[in-house]
Amino acid sequence: MRCPSCGHSESKVVDSRPSEDGATIRRRRECLECGHRFTTYERLGDTPLIVIKSDGSSEVYDREKLMRGLLIACAKRPISPEQVATLIESIESELRNASKNEIKSKELGDMALVRLAKLDDVAYVRFASVYKDFQNIEEFAAALEGMS
C-alpha cells in the first residue's frame, strides 16, 4: 500500500479491526518513510458487480466513483467520510444479499438517494440534481416537493 502523503510503498499496520458490518477489515497504517498515518479497508474479493448504464452500455461497479459523487454532494455538510463509507457499505451489502451480478445505474442511484435522504436534505438534493439530470426548474421544484 502506497503512502498517500509521500508515495513510499512500505507501511506497518498500527491497528486492525473488523468494520461494523463485518464485511470489511479496517486497518490503520503508518508509513515507514514519513510517519504519516492513514486508513485502509480490506474487502473479500468476489464476482464483480456490473452496472448497466442508461444508454445500455455496461461497466464494472466502481466503489470509488460512487464515493466521489456522494462526497461532492456532501461537501460542506455535517456528514463525515465515514458516514458516506457506511452508506456505500450498506448498498453493497444489500446487493450481495440479493445475489445480484448486474444492476441498472438508475437502481443504484435510487439506493444511494434513499440512504442520503436519511442523512441530509441538502446532500440529497445535490446528488439528485446531478443523478436525475434535471432539465428545468420545474423538475427541480418537483423533487423538492417530494421531500416534504
Side-chain angles (χ1 to χ4, degrees):
M1 177 59 56
R2 293 200 177 276
C3 172
S5 181
C6 72
H8 189 68
S9 62
E10 293 186 35
S11 63
K12 68 178 180 180
V13 175
V14 178
D15 180 42
S16 181
R17 65 180 72 160
S19 65
E20 290 178 17
D21 67 355
T24 59
I25 296 176
R26 177 186 180 272
R27 297 195 194 280
R28 286 292 292 160
R29 296 180 176 272
E30 183 176 327
C31 177
L32 296 177
E33 183 71 21
C34 70
H36 177 74
R37 288 189 172 200
F38 56 100
T39 302
T40 60
Y41 295 89
E42 291 181 16
R43 262 177 241 81
L44 178 65
D46 53 0
T47 309
L49 179 66
I50 304 298
V51 177
I52 310 298
K53 298 166 72 170
S54 57
D55 66 0
S57 65
S58 62
E59 64 182 38
V60 174
Y61 166 73
D62 182 357
R63 180 182 224 276
E64 296 304 315
K65 185 174 179 181
L66 180 57
M67 176 71 87
R68 277 191 307 274
L70 289 169
L71 287 174
I72 289 169
C74 295
K76 298 183 182 179
R77 300 299 304 156
I79 301 170
S80 69
E82 289 78 20
Q83 287 175 292
V84 175
T86 300
L87 183 150
I88 292 173
E89 286 169 13
S90 166
I91 291 171
E92 292 172 344
S93 177
E94 183 179 328
L95 293 171
R96 268 192 308 277
N97 291 340
S99 299
K100 285 190 165 190
N101 293 333
E102 290 186 350
I103 186 168
K104 293 182 179 178
S105 60
K106 181 181 180 344
E107 291 175 49
L108 186 60
D110 288 341
M111 291 172 79
L113 280 174
V114 166
R115 288 160 173 82
L116 205 50
K118 295 175 187 172
L119 276 181
D120 187 84
D121 291 343
V122 173
Y124 169 87
V125 171
R126 287 177 179 170
F127 189 80
S129 69
V130 173
Y131 161 68
K132 294 197 180 251
D133 191 28
F134 297 138
Q135 298 299 314
N136 55 48
I137 194 72
E138 289 79 21
E139 291 177 8
F140 195 82
L144 289 174
E145 281 295 317
M147 290 182 64
S148 27

